Amino acid sequence: MKKGIIILLVLTLCLSSCGRKEKQGPVVLVLASFYGESELQKQVDVFNQNHTDYQIEIKSYQRADISEEDGIAQIQREIIAGNGPDLIDFGSMYSNTDVIGGYTEDLMPYLEGNLDKYFTNILESFCYKGSLYAIPVSFTLDTFAGSKEALGGREQWNIQEMMACYEEQPEGVMLYPGETRYDVLSRILTGSMEYYIDWESGTCSFDQGEFEQVLSFAASFPEGLEIDEDFSVKQAFLDGKALIIPTRIGGIYGIASAEYIFDDKDISYIGYPAESVSGTVISPDSPVLAISGKSKHKEICWEFISQYLDIEYQKELGLPINRVAMEEKLAQSLETEYEIVDGEKQPVVKNQVSFEGDDQPQYIYCLTEEQTQRLMQIIESAQINDAYDRHLYRIIMDEVDSYFSGDKTLEEVTKIIQNKASIYVSESSK
């Protein structure tokens, strides 16, 4: 009898032990990062504090010119092999070639029903083949600004129109302060380089007449700058000695910088030369986030990305992707704020503008209604992003030096660029 009781007890303990599961630790999601920014780590910490079943760990990668060493190529190989990261932060150096191959998730479906909260034109500019494979959480804008009178009433221009407008100016008028041949070429390529590339077919056309015109136009500017000690950017425009001013808008008060230069003149934010669209160029600000197409935890990954899209977080950014956050920032910018300094009430300086030759900066205390409307118009009309391929850019800039120096002809240089670019675009498109 005792023997039977003992056997029953042993069986009961065994069954109990077999049915018990060891407590599992949290699922670890890997976030690939190229820059290891402190803000990224801060957001990872916030996520980890709010989740017990999932934790994010950052893994660092590096960009490189050699494909075998390049972090982008490494991530692609890892994901295809099934052991890559769940999340990727491409950073501000992001380009559309980072996601060729569709190895990251299309994020548009995650925004369905909420697209009206965002600047859809900004998001669409980052789409590749109609899919949003990576999302910027904020952005900056680069454009050219000039007086409408000097620009002949133009609101936008292509490359031929830009060159023609410049040729119409009186002798001695600069295109813009700082106009070296390399800078002119770089700015034109910023808005137009993608016109010469077809990533889907893996072809390019840098040996065509238009690109030769661009190089010839850039070569007409000086190699370096010789600036007088008393040179003033603002005075150059007041005297009609410069046509346009490169303008970067990294925050809502950036709209005031060009207007300081042109005083009360009507301004056209004409942008970089582009075909049939606004030439204002959108630059991604860090981070630019993506989800691996093979991650088993895509919804949780989207939870992390959503932290950056939260309206309260977005309001802290320069130019947020969230439309509602932008509207609230602009509404606040209309009001002058005050503080007590040494017992006296003084307006709070929200930003300041200064250019070379200024004795002191121009302080900005608030924006006008017209300025906020103009900024929204510039944002909503922007369609081009500068997420161009840096490898191609280097191919071009490395080769044009021999043309600018007179060592090679225009035809020889464009043929070399075409050959090298064709190989790179073909290989990248596979």
Side-chain angles (χ1 to χ4, degrees):
M1 185 68 177
K2 288 183 178 179
K3 185 176 180 181
I5 293 173
I6 292 172
I7 293 174
L8 181 61
L9 180 60
V10 170
L11 287 172
T12 301
L13 290 172
C14 181
L15 289 171
S16 176
S17 175
C18 291
R20 187 188 305 125
K21 292 183 179 179
E22 293 294 327
K23 184 178 180 180
Q24 298 291 321
V27 175
V28 176
L29 306 179
V30 176
L31 193 166
S33 171
F34 287 87
Y35 301 101
E37 297 170 351
S38 58
E39 180 59 27
L40 182 66
Q41 183 63 61
K42 180 181 176 181
Q43 291 305 310
V44 167
D45 291 341
V46 169
F47 178 91
N48 289 344
Q49 290 167 9
N50 293 332
H51 293 77
T52 57
D53 294 339
Y54 294 90
Q55 295 286 280
I56 293 177
E57 291 182 359
I58 297 175
K59 181 180 178 181
S60 296
Y61 291 78
Q62 299 293 327
R63 292 181 182 269
D65 292 333
I66 304 173
S67 59
E68 290 77 11
E69 301 174 2
D70 185 36
I72 297 295
Q74 182 182 345
I75 288 173
Q76 291 176 348
R77 290 192 296 267
E78 290 175 354
I79 289 177
I80 291 171
N83 56 4
D86 299 273
L87 286 152
I88 306 167
D89 173 18
F90 291 106
S92 58
M93 295 295 288
Y94 170 79
S95 76
N96 286 343
T97 51
D98 289 344
V99 295
I100 286 179
Y103 65 95
T104 58
E105 189 79 356
D106 180 10
L107 300 179
M108 275 299 189
Y110 293 86
L111 296 169
E112 282 185 4
N114 292 305
L115 269 177
D116 59 337
K117 293 181 180 178
Y118 305 98
F119 290 106
T120 53
N121 62 300
I122 303 294
L123 294 177
E124 287 169 357
S125 76
F126 284 86
C127 285
Y128 176 70
K129 293 185 177 179
S131 296
L132 184 66
Y133 290 118
I135 184 170
V137 300
S138 61
F139 59 97
T140 61
L141 299 173
D142 285 284
T143 187
F144 281 135
S147 74
K148 288 185 178 180
E149 181 182 0
L151 292 169
R154 295 178 177 91
E155 295 290 341
Q156 60 188 49
W157 52 11
N158 58 27
I159 292 169
Q160 285 75 25
E161 290 167 337
M162 178 188 192
M163 292 188 289
C165 183
Y166 177 63
E167 292 299 325
E168 293 169 2
Q169 303 306 309
E171 185 177 351
V173 174
M174 296 178 284
L175 180 62
Y176 60 84
E179 50 166 24
T180 66
R181 57 186 59 166
Y182 292 100
D183 193 72
V184 170
L185 176 59
S186 177
R187 291 182 186 277
I188 291 176
L189 288 178
T190 296
S192 66
M193 193 164 74
E194 291 295 317
Y195 292 142
Y196 307 106
I197 308 164
D198 186 338
W199 291 107
E200 293 191 30
S201 64
T203 60
C204 57
S205 56
F206 290 102
D207 57 349
Q208 301 300 311
E210 183 175 291
F211 185 68
E212 291 182 347
Q213 285 183 314
V214 170
L215 293 189
S216 179
F217 179 64
S220 68
F221 293 91
E223 181 177 0
L225 293 175
E226 295 182 4
I227 301 176
D228 297 333
E229 290 185 5
D230 61 346
F231 176 77
S232 165
V233 171
K234 184 175 177 64
Q235 195 60 46
F237 283 94
L238 292 176
D239 294 341
K241 297 298 184 182
L243 179 62
I244 50 179
I245 184 77
T247 302
R248 164 157 285 196
I249 303 175
I252 58 175
Y253 296 99
I255 192 68
S257 61
E259 295 172 9
Y260 161 71
I261 285 289
F262 293 100
D263 283 343
D264 296 329
K265 292 181 180 178
D266 286 339
I267 301 174
S268 172
Y269 288 90
I270 196 166
Y272 293 170
E275 289 291 341
S276 305
V277 296
S278 165
T280 295
V281 176
I282 308 157
S283 300
D285 210 353
S286 285
V288 179
L289 298 166
I291 299 174
S292 165
K294 290 198 173 183
S295 174
K296 297 177 181 178
H297 311 282
K298 294 174 184 176
E299 292 294 336
I300 301 300
C301 290
W302 180 250
E303 273 193 47
F304 175 72
I305 293 177
S306 297
Q307 288 181 188
Y308 286 92
L309 303 179
D310 178 75
I311 187 169
E312 294 303 319
Y313 182 86
Q314 286 276 301
K315 285 193 293 186
E316 299 301 317
L317 304 176
L319 296 180
I321 198 74
N322 186 299
R323 177 185 292 272
V324 179
M326 182 76 78
E327 291 171 349
E328 290 191 17
K329 283 169 66 74
L330 290 177
Q332 186 178 8
S333 74
L334 296 171
E335 301 175 3
T336 302
E337 299 175 7
Y338 295 88
E339 60 184 350
I340 303 299
V341 179
D342 297 329
E344 295 185 2
K345 182 179 179 182
Q346 295 184 1
V348 175
V349 177
K350 295 183 177 179
N351 208 326
Q352 61 185 43
V353 177
S354 63
F355 289 90
E356 186 172 351
D358 287 349
D359 294 329
Q360 60 183 28
Q362 174 78 23
Y363 296 115
I364 301 172
Y365 303 102
C366 66
L367 296 179
T368 65
E369 188 73 39
E370 292 76 13
Q371 287 173 324
T372 61
Q373 291 174 357
R374 194 172 297 122
L375 177 57
M376 285 294 282
Q377 182 180 11
I378 295 171
I379 292 172
E380 290 175 335
S381 65
Q383 299 179 50
I384 303 170
N385 77 62
D386 85 333
Y388 57 82
D389 189 277
R390 267 69 182 176
H391 296 284
L392 267 179
Y393 178 80
R394 279 193 291 272
I395 288 172
I396 295 170
M397 298 307 285
D398 287 347
E399 295 302 327
V400 296
D401 187 56
S402 58
Y403 167 60
F404 288 160
S405 64
D407 293 335
K408 288 187 176 70
T409 66
L410 180 60
E411 184 179 357
E412 288 172 333
V413 167
T414 53
K415 186 174 292 186
I416 293 171
I417 291 174
Q418 174 66 14
N419 289 339
K420 290 187 176 182
S422 293
I423 294 170
Y424 175 75
V425 172
S426 177
E427 291 179 348
S428 299
S429 301
K430 292 178 182 177

